[in-house]
């Protein structure tokens, strides 16, 4: 199957932008939670819409989308570019991705992200993985430099 991958950018008209976000991205984001992530985090879906939208409108949050040949949204990858506090680098922190279990779609999303982050000016990619998640295969242009562990604590 062929996928069209592109970055979902906010329109200058806030109403159009919100419609795009609601129509293109939100159903997949909800499906990813219901189908995969709720089991991992043990929490119901309760999107922080205000912060998410604010980050996206200011282009601090990047959303890469995949559509099938019929134009139906089938996958996404979201992340945030930033500069670490302790050293000079530009990181693209992948926050989440979803392709409904379609490995080809997932691979295409990561391939597109790899190219796009170079234009964004990033020279590092960080990915947090859950216990059941797998590290994506990035191209040979990227090499694994180190691993860290992210531990999630809750008081509830």
């Amino acid at each position: 199957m062929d996928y069209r991958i592109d970055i979902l950018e906010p329109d200058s008209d806030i109403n159009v932008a919100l419609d795009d976000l609601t129509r293109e991205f939100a159903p997949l984001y909800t499906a990813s939670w219901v189908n995969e992530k709720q089991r991992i985090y043990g929490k119901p879906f309760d999107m922080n819409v205000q912060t998410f939208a604010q980050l996206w409108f200011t282009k601090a949050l990047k959303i890469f989308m995949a559509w099938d040949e019929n134009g139906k949204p089938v996958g996404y990858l979201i992340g945030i570019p930033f500069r670490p506090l302790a050293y000079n680098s530009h990181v693209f922190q992948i926050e989440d991705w979803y392709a409904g279990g379609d490995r080809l779609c997932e691979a295409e999303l990561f391939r597109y992200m790899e190219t796009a982050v170079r234009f964004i000016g990033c020279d590092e990619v960080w990915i947090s993985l859950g216990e059941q998640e797998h590290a994506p295969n990035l191209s040979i242009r990227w090499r694994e430099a180190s691993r860290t562990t992210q531990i999630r604590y809750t008081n509830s």
Side-chain angles (χ1 to χ4, degrees):
M1 175 176 289
D2 290 329
Y3 297 100
R4 180 175 68 87
I5 313 290
D6 203 352
I7 189 165
L8 187 65
E9 293 275 20
D11 192 273
S12 59
D13 180 332
I14 193 165
N15 294 318
V16 172
L18 284 172
D19 183 56
D20 288 344
L21 195 61
T22 302
R23 186 176 24 83
E24 301 289 326
F25 175 74
L28 280 174
Y29 199 46
T30 303
S32 77
W33 194 265
V34 170
N35 296 330
E36 294 178 2
K37 301 193 172 71
Q38 186 167 345
R39 180 178 65 254
I40 296 167
Y41 292 100
K43 301 274 186 179
F45 187 67
D46 186 15
M47 183 178 179
N48 185 344
V49 176
Q50 182 177 354
T51 300
F52 191 100
Q54 181 181 13
L55 288 169
W56 185 58
F57 287 134
T58 61
K59 299 187 179 185
L61 178 77
K62 305 298 182 189
I63 305 173
F64 301 104
M65 294 286 302
W67 293 268
D68 67 13
E69 61 250 356
N70 298 317
K72 178 185 174 195
V74 293
Y76 68 82
L77 185 151
I78 56 177
I80 299 173
F82 72 95
R83 186 193 184 280
L85 297 174
Y87 65 98
N88 188 4
S89 187
H90 292 90
V91 173
F92 186 75
Q93 168 69 47
I94 296 173
E95 292 296 317
D96 194 11
W97 73 91
Y98 178 73
D102 184 330
R103 297 286 190 183
L104 178 60
C105 179
E106 181 179 282
E108 291 295 319
L109 280 164
F110 275 93
R111 196 169 5 264
Y112 190 91
M113 176 275 309
E114 286 183 59
T115 301
V117 297
R118 296 227 181 239
F119 288 106
I120 294 169
C122 296
D123 55 359
E124 293 189 24
V125 174
W126 292 3
I127 304 170
S128 298
L129 299 173
E131 291 179 23
Q132 303 300 317
E133 292 178 308
H134 65 280
N137 293 321
L138 299 185
S139 71
I140 59 172
R141 290 181 297 186
W142 297 91
R143 64 174 182 76
E144 185 175 318
S146 63
R147 286 191 179 228
T148 59
T149 301
Q150 179 178 353
I151 301 172
R152 179 176 170 248
Y153 293 96
T154 64
N155 66 359
S156 55

